[in-house]
Amino acid sequence: MKRTSSLVKFILVLIVTVIGLVASFVSFNFNSPGGNTWKYNGFAFAINLGLDLKGGVYAVYESSEKNPEDTRMNGTVSQLTDMLTSKGYTEATVVREGTSRIRVEVPDVDDPSEIFEIIGDPAELQFWLSEDSALDSSDTFIFSGDVVRDAAAVISENKYAVSLQLDSEGAAIFKDTTKNNVGKYIMIYETKDGEITGNPISVATINEEIPNGQATISGDFTYEEAQNLADRIMSGTFSVPLTLIETSIVDPTLGTNALAAGLIGGIIALLLIMIFMSVFYRMMGMVACVSMLIYMVLMLFFLAVFPLVQLSLPGIAGIILSLGMMIDGNVIIYERIKDEYRNGKSILAAYHAGFRKAVSAIVDGNVTTIIAAVMLLIFGTGTVSGFGMTLLIGLVLSLFSSLIVTRFLLKWTIAIWGDKDPALYHLHRRPGFDESEEIQYVPKPKKVRRAKAAANKNDSIPFDAVVNAEKTERPADSESEVDKPAQKKDIMDEDFDDIFGPIDGGDK
C-alpha cells in the first residue's frame, strides 16, 4: 500500500469522525432557501431517556385472577399502551413482570396526577339493560367492558359527549339490544371480582338502533366531565382485571443529576483509557483512541435511531461495559503483536500474525456476552431489558471496531510511518535476540488468493490445484529458512485473510 493513499484514507477517516462527533453533540438552526428555519438536534439529544433519567411516574398492577392466560395479559398490555398513546404519552412503556403483573412507566410528565387519573385503579366494567334506570332483578346483563375498543371525549351537536367504539362481537350484541329496547336505559357499572361496587358511572337512554358499534353518550357534560367518564370507561376495558399495588413518582431533578453523573463518569473513563492506551502502546494506542471515538459516534447514532431503545442508568452501564469490551479487544490484539515481535518476527509480520491469532479470542469473548445480552432482552423487563439492549448494540459495534476499524487504521499507520522503528509502537525484542534471524512477512500472492476464492465458490476446482498454484507463484527464494516460519498458517489464519485481506502496508 502506498504511503500517500494510506495518508489520504487516514485523514478522511479522521474528518468523518470529527463530523460524526459534531453531529452527535451540536444543535443548530438551518435556514432553507424557502425561508423556513429547521432545527437540527445532535444524536445525543435524540435518544429516548428512561424514567430514572427523565423523571416521571411508574405504577405496578397485579391481576385479580390467579394464573391469568398469557393471551389475555398480553391483550391488557396492548390496551394500556394504546390508551396512554392516545392521550399523548408516546414514550410510555408497559411491560409484563412475571406472569401476573404489569408495570407502567411514563417518563417526562409535568403533572404526575394526570397519569394516575387516566389509569387509576382499573376495575371491570359491566353494561346492563334497565327498564327504569335502577338496578334490580329484572335488569339484563349485556356485556363486559372488554368489548370496548376506545372511549374519548368528543363534541356532538355543539355539546361535549363521550364516543364509544365497540369490537365486532360487542357491535353485534349492541345492535340487537338497541333495536329491541328503544326508550330503555343502558347503565355502566364498575365491578370488583364480579360484584358491582356502587352507583353506575353512566346512565344513558337508548334513542335509536345503533348498528355499527359506534355509540355516543350525550348529556350536559363539561369537557373535564366527558374526559373523566371516557377515562373511567377505558380503565375498565382491560382483558384482565387489575389491582394497583405500587406507585411512585421519580423526581426529574434526580434523573438529571444521575444523567450528569453518568456522563461525567463516562467522559473521565474515556480520557483515562485514551491516556493508558497512548502511554503503553504509543502509535497503536493512538489508533485505538481513534477507533474508540468512531465506536462512540456509531453508538450514539444507533441509540438515537433504534425505536426500542430507552436509555436508563443500567443502559449507561451497558454502554460503558461494551466500551470496555471494545478496548479489551484492542489490548488482546496489541499484546499478540508484541509477543510476535518479541519472539523474532518483523513489525509487519507481527501485525499480521497478531491479528490472526487474536481474532478467535475476541470473537469468543464477545459472542458469549452477546448471548447473555440476548437472554436479558428475552427474559428481562424494564431497566434490565434496557441494559440488555444497550449492551447488545455495544458488543456488535465492539466486534466491528476491534476487527475492522482498528485493523485498517493500523494497516494505514504502518504504511504512513513505516515498519522499521519498533519504538514508535512500543515493541521490544526478547533478551539475546539476533536481528539477523528476524522473520519477515511474506504475503500470499494475489493469484493464489484468487484461485482459492474460486475453489471455494466452484467445487469443480480441486484443492490440490490451488496448492500447486501456490507453489508455482512463490518467488524462488521464498523457501529459505528465514521465510518458512512465516508461511505456516492454520485454517482460521487463511480464512481471516480471505475475508479481510492481508496486511501488506509499507512502501514497496
Side-chain angles (χ1 to χ4, degrees), residues 298-321:
L298 293 175
M299 187 70 179
L300 291 173
F301 174 77
F302 284 112
L303 289 177
V305 300
F306 277 11
L308 297 179
V309 173
Q310 193 169 51
L311 188 62
S312 60
L313 280 177
I316 293 177
I319 296 173
I320 295 176
L321 177 58

Side-chain angles (χ1 to χ4, degrees), residues 75-112:
T76 302
V77 169
S78 299
Q79 288 170 306
L80 272 170
T81 302
D82 293 341
M83 183 182 70
L84 290 169
T85 301
S86 67
K87 305 301 179 184
Y89 300 99
T90 55
E91 295 183 9
T93 58
V94 183
V95 294
R96 291 182 60 179
E97 287 189 345
T99 58
S100 60
R101 291 188 177 185
I102 294 176
R103 182 183 181 91
V104 180
E105 295 182 352
V106 187
D108 196 24
V109 178
D110 296 328
D111 185 4

Side-chain angles (χ1 to χ4, degrees), residues 127 150-166 174 178 186 188 202-219 221 226 229 233:
F127 289 69
D150 189 29
V154 297
I155 296 178
S156 176
E157 298 180 355
N158 298 322
K159 292 183 178 180
Y160 288 108
V162 176
S163 173
L164 297 180
Q165 176 64 53
L166 308 179
F174 207 57
T178 54
I186 291 180
I188 306 175
S202 174
V203 178
T205 304
I206 301 175
N207 295 324
E208 59 184 353
E209 177 188 351
I210 301 175
N212 54 8
Q214 294 182 347
T216 301
I217 303 174
S218 58
F221 295 120
L229 177 56
I233 292 174

Side-chain angles (χ1 to χ4, degrees), residues 295 299 318 322-323 389-399:
Y295 164 87
M299 187 70 179
S322 62
L323 174 62
M389 175 62 75
T390 57
L391 180 61
L392 179 61
I393 295 173
L395 290 173
V396 173
L397 292 178
S398 170
L399 278 173

